Amino acid sequence: MSKDSSLANLELNPNDADVLIRFVGELNKNIKLVEKNFNVKIFQNGNKISISGDEENIKKASNALIDLYASTSNGMELSREKIQMVMNNNEDLQAVSASSENIKEYVIKTPKKTVKPRGKNQNNYLSNMNNYEVNFVVGPAGTGKTYLAVAKAVEMLVNESVKKIILIRPAVEAGEKLGFLPGDLSQKVDPYLRPLYDALYEMLGFEQVVRLLEKEILEVAPLAYLRGRTLNNAFIIMDESQNTSVDQMKMFLTRMGFGSFAIINGDMTQIDLPKNIESGLGHALKVLDGLEDIGFTVFNSKDVVRHPLVRKIVDAYDQFDQQKN
């Protein structure tokens, strides 16, 4: 590829007509997404592509197009989510790709799906789950905090590395208390655990999830039910942990038994606790900072793999909060 400060010429190989059709998308929609994201103009003629614009943006767009064409050549369909993920990965030219020869890419295998990391931070998260028994994972919605934790839990259960999976969420959500919701305890807890259930169905299938619940190999419980218990040989996921109090977080962390693994997920910008109560997640991050036996993963808006608007919304809220403070 030859280029100057305003133009790059790219040749895609192999020159496969079927691959090219899927690569550009209907009415060139895939190319247009890359153009808009990197603020460049892209001209495509067969397997030859010209890109004009700012030099740095040209390089990012070129790398993204090469990655997308390689994915298409390997038989992958280019969903909007996949395209956004690839573009996010190429936003930072200094970042090392998780597929680099110098970095091991961690993959999770579940009965229904093989899960691969979407970017450098997700790969670091998977690496930490392999290396630490306790992991704190902080970042905005849509970065894969819960999904990847569930995938790892399922993999370890299937491989018999743990004997059960325990899913926990604090019973505080957007100012509502469980006591005001209709139904028995199970019905009250379930809506708050829906993201966890959805991930489990995708990895194991609905019928298998039901069987595991019946056998109590998969346990779903509010945080308060852990008091007085010691959890051995279990993979424990606490979601939305920013809504724990300091005492609740300490209680949870001291429930760990032999052969257990814990993932503590949270988003410090989405705290629903009363203003006079300190977040147990925020407190724990300060208390445990520097402790070598615990893994810490921090995601940011660039790691969001939902609709591209989610990333912009996260950034807008961050900027507003910074200006306010």
Side-chain angles (χ1 to χ4, degrees):
M1 180 174 67
S2 63
K3 66 182 178 181
D4 53 31
S5 60
S6 61
L7 180 67
N9 296 312
L10 186 65
E11 186 168 337
L12 302 171
N13 290 306
N15 185 5
D16 186 316
D18 291 336
V19 172
L20 283 166
I21 290 171
R22 290 187 290 115
F23 166 70
V24 300
E26 185 179 357
L27 300 176
N28 284 356
K29 66 177 182 180
N30 298 343
I31 298 294
K32 290 175 182 176
L33 281 174
V34 177
E35 277 188 324
K36 182 178 179 181
N37 191 79
F38 294 112
N39 193 27
V40 296
K41 294 297 293 182
I42 300 174
F43 308 92
Q44 179 254 338
N45 182 15
N47 70 326
K48 293 181 171 61
I49 289 180
S50 296
I51 310 170
S52 63
D54 177 80
E55 185 174 8
E56 185 173 313
N57 289 343
I58 286 174
K59 186 173 182 182
K60 294 175 183 179
S62 297
N63 290 338
L65 289 171
I66 291 169
D67 289 348
L68 289 170
Y69 190 72
S71 296
T72 312
S73 299
N74 290 329
M76 182 177 292
E77 293 299 323
L78 294 186
S79 64
R80 189 183 182 99
E81 182 184 56
K82 169 65 177 176
I83 295 169
Q84 189 63 42
M85 181 269 293
V86 169
M87 292 190 300
N88 289 355
N89 287 351
N90 284 284
E91 280 287 355
D92 184 358
L93 289 175
Q94 306 304 318
V96 182
S97 170
S99 61
S100 166
E101 293 180 1
N102 298 322
I103 292 184
K104 177 181 178 181
E105 183 182 55
Y106 291 87
V107 177
I108 298 175
K109 294 184 179 180
T110 70
K112 296 285 186 180
K113 187 171 186 177
T114 297
V115 179
K116 295 185 177 182
R118 296 174 172 181
K120 182 182 176 183
N121 279 341
Q122 283 201 359
N123 198 59
N124 289 342
Y125 181 18
L126 299 190
S127 173
N128 283 344
M129 283 195 283
N130 280 352
N131 293 315
Y132 299 102
E133 294 175 342
V134 176
N135 276 281
F136 284 86
V137 192
V138 184
T143 50
K145 302 186 302 293
T146 299
Y147 187 82
L148 292 175
V150 171
K152 188 64 179 177
V154 169
E155 180 185 60
M156 294 188 73
L157 181 68
V158 171
N159 293 340
E160 300 183 350
S161 299
V162 295
K163 292 183 178 179
K164 67 186 306 179
I165 298 173
I166 302 176
L167 308 177
I168 301 294
R169 254 194 175 191
V172 178
E173 198 76 22
E176 298 180 12
K177 291 185 172 63
L178 290 182
F180 293 102
L181 297 175
D184 60 21
L185 179 64
S186 174
Q187 291 171 317
K188 288 178 179 179
V189 172
D190 282 357
Y192 300 100
L193 294 158
R194 181 55 54 191
L196 297 165
Y197 277 127
D198 288 344
L200 284 166
Y201 296 151
E202 191 173 331
M203 315 273 177
L204 288 167
F206 180 80
E207 292 181 359
Q208 179 69 355
V209 170
V210 172
R211 280 196 293 269
L212 292 175
L213 284 166
E214 290 173 348
K215 294 178 179 179
E216 297 187 349
I217 294 172
L218 173 59
E219 185 176 349
V220 180
L223 179 59
Y225 272 45
L226 294 184
R227 192 171 298 279
R229 295 181 60 182
T230 299
L231 306 175
N232 295 313
N233 301 308
F235 197 107
I236 313 146
I237 301 171
M238 180 159 68
D239 212 22
E240 304 293 348
S241 68
Q242 73 275 4
N243 289 326
T244 60
S245 67
V246 171
D247 287 342
Q248 286 175 326
M249 177 62 76
K250 183 178 178 182
M251 182 270 290
F252 173 80
L253 292 172
T254 55
R255 297 306 93 197
M256 285 282 293
F258 291 105
S260 287
F261 299 82
I263 304 292
I264 301 102
N265 291 338
D267 178 357
M268 291 302 296
T269 68
Q270 298 290 327
I271 298 174
D272 298 315
L273 294 167
K275 291 185 178 181
N276 63 325
I277 298 179
E278 182 180 5
S279 167
L281 175 60
H283 182 263
L285 292 174
K286 291 182 286 188
V287 171
L288 302 175
D289 182 37
L291 201 61
E292 293 182 357
D293 296 327
I294 294 178
F296 296 91
T297 306
V298 179
F299 289 111
N300 56 51
S301 63
K302 289 185 178 181
D303 300 304
V304 172
V305 292
R306 293 181 181 171
H307 191 287
L309 267 179
V310 174
R311 178 177 174 181
K312 294 179 180 179
I313 290 168
V314 170
D315 283 339
Y317 271 92
D318 286 345
Q319 291 171 8
F320 181 82
D321 288 340
Q322 289 172 8
Q323 291 169 358
K324 187 172 63 173
N325 296 330

